[in-house]
Amino acid sequence: MSADLNGSRALVTGAGHGIGRAIAVALAEAGADVAVHYHSSADEAARTVSEIEALGRRAKAFKADATVSGEVDALVEEATGFLGGLDVLVCNAGHLIGREEIATMSDDHFDRVVSVNLTSTFRTVRAALPHLRRSPAGRVITMSSLAAHNGGGPGSVAYAAAKAGVRGFTKGLAKELAGTGITVNTVAPGFIKGTAFHDTFTAPQAQQAMESGIPVGRAGTPRDVAHAVVHLASPASGFLTATTVDIDGGVWPR
């Protein structure tokens, strides 16, 4: 078995930039046609589409707020209409929103973080399931985080809780779909350098400290995450489900 995805049809949420873009492009490199979801980064999503088309694969960008049920339902219908079905769903949409300590955290902040990371995953999977059930080998890949294991950095309690929820959701869904031919797994990135996440919310000195503590001696890249996702999407992972793949250079467990 290999990572040959020739003829596969994939939807990647949050694929306008960073890890999502790397995943979408890597899936196309393996042979998949890709629906590229974005929320606000239209120019970035167009770049992702162009990179995929340059590989000889079909791609199209679709805008939606992944926290709104109606928009998610429309996204999935439009994306599957373009692709002609769905084999691979990658729920990558997520955001830290901001660093807030519990003592001063508002209800709105907590709700927003959970909604954009966990609830959006639930809604996207729910909308996509009828299409995945028609695939000969459906794949669902969600995005957790090292923060789900270790609580994350300062001010990321809500984010850590949401990403731990994604991990639990993944395991429960894998059990629910066992025997249908659909596998469900999650990836948990650690420090991935050069993404908007850390460039926006982590000071350069803190990034250096994080990198120095990685056993393999370097920070991760979006391509590192993408390679793992392609494997989970491939025929080679047909007996792998309810699993968390930690992509952190050996940080967890220590």
Side-chain angles (χ1 to χ4, degrees):
M1 290 288 188
S2 70
D4 181 5
L5 294 175
N6 189 46
S8 291
R9 302 153 298 181
L11 166 60
V12 183
T13 65
H17 51 78
I19 291 173
R21 170 182 288 161
I23 290 170
V25 172
L27 289 169
E29 288 173 342
D33 294 330
V34 186
V36 174
H37 160 260
Y38 72 98
H39 180 209
S40 58
S41 52
D43 291 343
E44 293 293 305
R47 178 184 160 190
T48 304
V49 169
S50 294
E51 289 187 26
I52 293 170
E53 290 178 335
L55 295 167
R57 306 311 309 178
R58 297 173 66 241
K60 186 175 180 179
F62 298 88
K63 180 179 181 179
D65 184 339
T67 68
V68 178
S69 290
E71 293 195 28
V72 172
D73 292 344
L75 161 68
V76 171
E77 289 306 309
E78 292 169 8
T80 54
F82 165 73
L83 294 167
L86 188 65
D87 304 295
V88 179
L89 173 65
V90 182
C91 296
N92 172 72
H95 208 292
L96 179 65
I97 304 297
R99 296 191 183 276
E100 298 284 348
E101 295 184 354
I102 283 290
T104 55
M105 186 184 300
S106 67
D107 289 352
D108 179 66
H109 176 83
F110 186 88
D111 291 345
R112 286 177 64 203
V113 173
V114 171
S115 181
V116 76
N117 291 284
L118 175 57
T119 311
S120 68
T121 298
F122 152 66
R123 287 174 173 154
T124 306
V125 169
R126 181 179 62 184
L129 266 180
H131 304 281
L132 290 167
R133 289 184 186 276
R134 291 191 284 271
S135 170
R139 299 285 188 266
V140 176
I141 300 144
T142 65
M143 189 66 64
S144 185
S145 170
L146 174 62
H149 294 309
N150 67 10
S156 58
V157 169
Y159 181 78
K163 290 303 189 181
V166 169
R167 186 166 179 248
F169 173 83
T170 300
K171 289 185 175 295
L173 182 65
K175 286 185 176 182
E176 185 172 308
L177 297 181
T180 67
I182 301 172
T183 65
V184 190
N185 295 285
T186 192
V187 296
F191 177 42
I192 307 300
K193 198 169 186 176
T195 62
F197 182 103
H198 287 295
D199 289 347
T200 303
F201 298 109
T202 308
Q205 298 89 337
Q207 291 192 37
Q208 292 171 9
M210 292 167 67
E211 187 167 357
S212 67
I214 298 174
V216 301
R218 69 170 177 87
T221 68
R223 289 285 288 181
D224 289 322
V225 182
H227 289 155
V229 170
V230 169
H231 175 72
L232 292 173
S234 76
S237 68
F239 197 59
L240 188 64
T241 196
T243 295
T244 301
V245 179
D246 296 306
I247 310 172
D248 57 21
V251 172
W252 181 265
R254 290 184 67 189

